[in-house]
Amino acid sequence: LGGAVVGAKRLTDAVFKFLRNKVQSGVEDVIQATFLACVQAKDRYRRESSFRAFLLGLARLGAALLRPWAPGG
């Protein structure tokens, strides 16, 4: 169980580092939504890339949903 906790901490840290400059506020909420989306999308993970890449892709989508639309764009 200790290895799983260390692995989860590393993934959480990776997602936080990825998002900290992409999300102005509420980064913890985006992290939580990322892991929830990961559980919901587990059947779509095809192991063609690393699990970390899959998770960061979900984080990128979550951050994009929170980004405000540019005026006139």
Side-chain angles (χ1 to χ4, degrees):
L1 184 62
V5 171
V6 170
K9 173 75 171 124
R10 284 185 185 154
L11 289 171
T12 302
D13 289 347
V15 172
F16 175 78
K17 288 175 185 176
F18 179 78
L19 289 172
R20 71 179 165 202
N21 294 323
K22 294 174 177 45
V23 178
Q24 292 181 359
S25 64
V27 70
E28 294 86 5
D29 293 335
V30 180
I31 292 171
Q32 184 176 1
T34 297
F35 280 93
L36 178 60
C38 181
V39 170
Q40 293 170 339
K42 69 182 181 350
D43 294 334
R44 292 194 303 260
Y45 175 57
R46 291 179 267 172
R47 300 174 192 220
E48 294 171 359
S49 62
S50 71
F51 180 74
R52 183 177 182 273
F54 176 71
L55 190 60
L56 293 179
L58 292 171
R60 180 180 53 81
L61 290 172
L65 290 174
L66 292 178
R67 194 174 304 134
W69 292 100

